[in-house]
Amino acid sequence: MKTVPRPWWFVLVAVLALLWNLFGLFSFYVHVTAGPEVIASWPEAQRQIEAATPRWIFVPFAVATIGGVLGSLGLLLGRRWAVPVLLLSLLAILVQFGSIYAITPTWALTGIGGAILPLCIGLFGLFLWWYAGKAASRGWLR
């Protein structure tokens, strides 16, 4: 399939997506490497959530963040494989946050205010997957 020229804002969206997902990857790194002294500096609610979070949650967290970075990079490079990679990232986001809310006291400790960031992350993941699909259907990805 022949690629057509991409609009200037396509690159802007792809760069912003990459920056957003690099921040997510940094958050993953912080959570994976946080030792007892770092965790002790967190607010009480966050410490309780951390203590109740099983280690396997880091698997979908890793898939979500690494997939987001790779998918955004693929988007920036104009590659079609960005679409399934961003879908995988989105599915991992849903598993990660769905599991955290299902098996930890996150909701009880943070309420609706604590759900805002996970909701934004999920919506942005959904947007990126949709956007990549639209870009592919318009011939902007090869």
Side-chain angles (χ1 to χ4, degrees), residues 18-45:
L18 182 59
L19 292 173
W20 168 268
N21 281 294
L22 285 170
F23 181 76
L25 188 60
F26 176 72
S27 175
F28 171 74
Y29 171 78
V30 167
H31 279 84
V32 167
T33 61
E37 66 285 344
V38 172
I39 294 170
S41 71
W42 293 351
E44 178 60 28

Side-chain angles (χ1 to χ4, degrees), residues 67 81-94 125-126 128-129:
W81 52 259
V83 178
V85 173
L86 289 169
L87 175 59
L88 180 63
S89 175
L90 173 61
L91 294 174
I93 290 167
L94 297 175
L126 177 63
L128 286 180
W129 173 60

Side-chain angles (χ1 to χ4, degrees), residues 119-138:
L119 183 60
C120 289
I121 291 168
L123 288 174
F124 195 67
L126 177 63
F127 166 76
L128 286 180
W129 173 60
W130 170 84
Y131 184 75
K134 283 293 184 189
S137 70
R138 291 180 178 165

Side-chain angles (χ1 to χ4, degrees), residues 29-115:
Y29 171 78
V30 167
H31 279 84
V32 167
T33 61
E37 66 285 344
V38 172
I39 294 170
S41 71
W42 293 351
E44 178 60 28
Q46 194 174 356
R47 287 195 310 263
Q48 288 181 30
I49 293 165
E50 176 70 21
T53 301
R55 301 308 287 173
W56 65 261
I57 290 289
F58 288 112
V59 174
F61 195 177
V63 172
T65 56
I66 294 168
V69 168
L70 292 176
S72 297
L73 187 58
L75 199 59
L76 186 60
L77 296 172
R79 301 297 181 178
R80 241 176 176 7
W81 52 259
V83 178
V85 173
L86 289 169
L87 175 59
L88 180 63
S89 175
L90 173 61
L91 294 174
I93 290 167
L94 297 175
V95 169
Q96 175 195 358
F97 287 118
S99 299
I100 286 173
Y101 275 89
I103 60 178
T104 71
T106 300
W107 186 260
L109 293 169
T110 64
I112 192 76

